[in-house]
Amino acid sequence: MKKELIYLLVFVLSFSFVSAGVVINEIMYNPLGVSDTYGEWFELYNKGIDEVDIDGWTLKDDGVNNYVINNDGYLGIPSKGFITLCRNSNISINGGINCDYDYGAFY
């Protein structure tokens, strides 16, 4: 999963992020306090002047695995704001991270 998450964040989404002003701000790919299944997450920062809706964006690794963000509607990152996407949004078992979107795992 670690390798997949790195490829996901660096290679696939970077093209969309550049045009939208969204960048990867922080990555937790191998937490020490909890297992990867519960504790992996990444944070996106919108450096642009317009809010960006990431609902419908695709998370993808360097292979065939992917996940389409489906928030049942708008999932925005405000201008100069952050959003955290996590494998597990349960704060009592994910290491205490407040998640804006739970992507679980992707296959």
Side-chain angles (χ1 to χ4, degrees):
M1 177 61 187
K2 293 177 202 94
K3 182 178 176 183
E4 293 171 352
L5 184 60
I6 295 298
Y7 284 128
L8 155 81
L9 297 173
V10 175
F11 295 110
V12 178
L13 295 178
S14 61
F15 296 107
S16 296
F17 292 162
V18 171
S19 64
V22 176
V23 296
I24 301 163
N25 188 63
E26 195 169 351
I27 302 170
M28 173 54 72
Y29 67 90
N30 193 15
L32 296 176
V34 297
S35 72
D36 291 355
T37 303
Y38 298 119
E40 289 186 337
W41 55 268
F42 62 98
E43 182 181 78
L44 304 177
Y45 172 67
N46 178 5
K47 64 182 182 172
I49 59 171
D50 296 317
E51 190 165 7
V52 176
D53 180 11
I54 64 167
D55 189 50
W57 284 24
T58 300
L59 309 178
K60 185 176 180 185
D61 65 15
D62 66 333
V64 298
N65 302 318
N66 64 70
Y67 175 87
V68 177
I69 296 173
N70 182 358
N71 195 48
D72 292 326
Y74 190 78
L75 182 60
I77 309 173
S79 173
K80 311 300 182 208
F82 301 88
I83 191 169
T84 304
L85 290 82
C86 304
R87 282 195 69 183
N88 186 305
S89 61
N90 185 332
I91 198 166
S92 66
I93 60 174
N94 75 3
I97 301 300
N98 289 315
C99 296
D100 298 298
Y101 184 81
D102 184 336
Y103 65 88
F106 56 96
Y107 309 98

